[in-house]
Amino acid sequence: MTTAVIERKWHTTAEVAQMLGYGLSKTKMLVLTGEIHSVKDGRNRRILPRWVDEYVERLAREAEAEWSA
């Protein structure tokens, strides 16, 4: 018998805040300004894991550009 593992497809704003080590207010502001992409699902926002990765990668590239300047 095999057990299927269901992976999460979305994260809530609160989950993303916890993953990034940010406060909920800061994370909500990043979502509202479009720095972290999201979709509206009813009354809630949902964030794809790759969108969190894209945000982190963008911050890393910007930091590296500052270091090399």
Side-chain angles (χ1 to χ4, degrees):
M1 179 173 163
T2 59
T3 304
V5 177
I6 299 173
E7 292 183 30
R8 304 237 3 220
K9 303 296 183 198
W10 300 102
H11 296 296
T12 65
T13 307
E15 291 168 340
V16 172
Q18 185 175 11
M19 286 190 298
L20 296 174
Y22 291 169
L24 185 56
S25 302
K26 177 176 181 165
T27 306
K28 285 182 177 181
M29 185 58 67
L30 291 170
V31 167
L32 289 174
T33 60
E35 294 211 37
I36 296 178
H37 299 288
S38 70
V39 293
K40 189 100 163 131
D41 180 24
R43 292 177 36 191
N44 302 306
R45 289 269 168 196
R46 299 291 182 229
I47 303 166
L48 285 173
R50 71 181 165 97
W51 293 340
V52 178
D53 293 339
E54 288 170 1
Y55 169 73
V56 172
E57 287 297 320
R58 189 170 59 252
L59 286 182
R61 278 194 311 272
E62 290 171 2
E64 289 173 351
E66 287 180 19
W67 295 335
S68 64

